[in-house]
Each structure stands twice: as C-alpha cells, then as structure tokens.
C-alpha cells in the first residue's frame, strides 16, 4: 500500500528543503533559465520522497532526458556523475525513486487525465502553443497552484538484475585505440555502432605549450 502524508489539493509550501522562490533561483543558476518542466519535476521528486522512508538510500530513474534530470540533481544526492541517477529515455515525463538495496520504490508521472483542470499546463505539456504564444508568468503561476495535483503515483519494484552492479572491465578498442568500459563486446560502442555525431581528424599529440 502506498502511504503518503499529503492530501490532494494540499498547497506545497516547500519543494524538498526549499521554498518555491529558493528552488526557482536554484533552477535559474543550474538549468540556465526558469523552465516550467524543472519546477514541475521538483514537485515530482518531492512527492516521490514523501512516499518513502527517510532513512534509506535511493537511486532514481528518469524516463526522459528533458528537464527532469536537473530537478533530481538539484534536490537529491543522485547525479549523472555518481550514477545514482539513471536516464532511460523512453520519452515519458516520469521518475522512479527506489531503494538501491531492495529495489522497492515509487514512480511519479504527469497524468494527462488530470490536466484538463489546468489548461495552461496542458497546452505547454502537449506543445499545442508555440513558445511565443505562451504566457510564461501564467504558466509558472498555474504550475505553482497545481503543485502535485497533476501527477499519479504507483508502487514499483526494480528488477534485481538492474540493481546488481556490473563488473567494470576496461579494455582498449582495436579500432580507435581508446580505453572503454568493456561490458559488451570487444569494440567500443562508438566504433561498433557509429553512435557519435562527429568526425575526427587524425589523432595528434595533445597540444601543449611549444
Ligand atoms: Zn573504438
């Protein structure tokens, strides 16, 4: 059973440990502007943690690369760099916070069935208005007013295979001659799948002072 110490319609006076204004300042400094998606994601992070015991260690899965990961990094100890935040980009505005030992956790997502009550947020979310046509102030106001009203929460259990830390073998790729995490195959993924969107000139010595 999901338990949570809030009622729908509760005015959220804090987002984790920050007031709304403090959180907005942090967004501007980190994200480069006051993106509504990061404000909304802050409420999502807050809501997820309200469903979980305070004394465990958590990892986070973000289901989109947009905005959400920045809220996670602003409000939790989970970052891309420490690998406690995982991005699995399936393009859904959802995050899962889970106990890194047991995999027990909660998933919070923007519930499109709840957006009719919040038309300005709905238009922004479905991109039915261009950025030019958006009234940013109204949107931010509605985001603040809606708080957690536009989300649904579900209980999840992350599969044990995903929790297990993979052994980190490092090998040198025979094509690019760079070291890489050799979890899968003998060629690095960059050479195997042409994943990188650039071409390199011939390798040169690092350009130090002459
Ligand atoms: Zn390679």
């Amino acid at each position: 059973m999901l338990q949570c110490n809030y009622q729908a319609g509760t005015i959220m006076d804090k987002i984790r440990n920050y007031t709304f204004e403090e959180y907005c300042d942090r967004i501007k400094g980190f994200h480069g502007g006051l993106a509504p998606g990061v404000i909304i994601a802050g409420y999502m992070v807050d809501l997820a943690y309200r469903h979980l015991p305070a004394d465990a260690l958590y990892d986070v899965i973000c289901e989109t690369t947009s905005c959400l990961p920045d809220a996670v990094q602003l409000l939790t100890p989970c970052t891309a760099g420490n690998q406690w935040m995982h991005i699995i980009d399936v393009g859904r505005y959802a995050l899962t916070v889970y106990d890194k030992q047991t995999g027990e956790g909660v998933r919070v997502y923007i519930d499109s069935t709840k957006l009719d009550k919040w038309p300005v947020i709905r238009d922004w979310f479905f991109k039915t208005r261009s950025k030019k046509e958006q009234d940013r102030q109204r949107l931010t106001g509605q985001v603040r007013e809606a708080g957690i009203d536009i989300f649904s929460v579900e209980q999840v259990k992350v599969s044990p295979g995903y929790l297990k830390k993979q052994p980190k073998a490092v090998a040198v790729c025979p094509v690019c001659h760079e070291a890489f995490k050799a979890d899968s195959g003998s060629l690095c993924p960059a050479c195997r799948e042409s994943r990188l969107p650039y071409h390199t000139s011939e390798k040169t010595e690092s350009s130090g002072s002459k």
Side-chain angles (χ1 to χ4, degrees):
M1 262 297 274
L2 282 179
Q3 295 205 320
C4 182
N5 56 353
Y6 82 93
Q7 295 292 317
T10 309
I11 297 295
M12 307 289 285
D13 54 344
K14 283 274 183 92
I15 299 174
R16 298 292 285 154
N17 291 322
Y18 303 104
T19 64
F20 184 84
E21 288 75 17
E22 285 167 347
Y23 179 53
C24 288
D25 281 344
R26 288 177 62 85
I27 293 172
K28 287 179 203 160
F30 186 66
H31 186 80
L34 188 55
V38 191
I39 307 175
I40 289 173
Y43 286 123
M44 294 169 75
V45 171
D46 187 276
L47 183 57
Y49 273 82
R50 278 166 195 259
H51 285 82
L52 296 163
D55 55 354
L57 287 173
Y58 298 104
D59 272 20
V60 176
I61 295 171
C62 296
E63 297 184 23
T64 176
T65 54
S66 300
C67 290
L68 248 177
D70 283 359
V72 172
Q73 293 180 105
L74 281 169
L75 296 171
T76 80
C78 306
T79 71
N82 67 18
Q83 297 179 28
W84 297 354
M85 180 185 73
H86 316 271
I87 299 174
I88 302 175
D89 186 13
V90 291
R92 300 195 296 194
Y93 217 77
L95 65 83
T96 294
V97 182
Y98 62 95
D99 184 310
K100 57 173 92 213
Q101 302 296 326
T102 65
E104 303 280 354
V106 292
R107 178 176 182 268
V108 179
Y109 61 98
I110 292 185
D111 188 335
S112 56
T113 66
K114 296 182 176 177
L115 289 179
D116 285 348
K117 204 174 138 193
W118 306 99
V120 182
I121 300 175
R122 187 192 54 210
D123 287 347
W124 164 81
F125 187 59
F126 284 103
K127 302 188 193 299
T128 46
R129 272 170 213 277
S130 69
K131 268 197 176 171
K132 255 190 188 166
E133 292 172 312
Q134 281 173 11
D135 181 338
R136 267 303 160 111
Q137 222 170 344
R138 235 183 118 210
L139 175 56
T140 305
Q142 197 159 97
V143 165
R144 184 176 192 176
E145 205 189 329
I148 57 175
D149 203 43
I150 57 174
F151 311 131
S152 284
V153 182
E154 56 195 3
Q155 204 158 10
V156 297
K157 186 161 170 60
V158 175
S159 58
Y162 191 78
L163 300 179
K164 223 187 270 172
K165 295 281 171 255
Q166 303 299 325
K168 287 180 182 152
V170 177
V172 173
C173 171
V175 176
C176 64
H177 307 292
E178 292 187 35
F180 71 106
K181 276 196 279 178
D183 299 335
S184 53
S186 58
L187 296 191
C188 83
C191 293
R192 197 174 61 229
E193 299 162 24
S194 310
R195 273 164 71 168
L196 293 169
Y198 58 76
H199 296 285
T200 44
S201 57
E202 228 168 279
K203 281 185 200 260
T204 53
E205 297 290 314
S206 99
S207 53
S209 55
K210 284 175 191 167

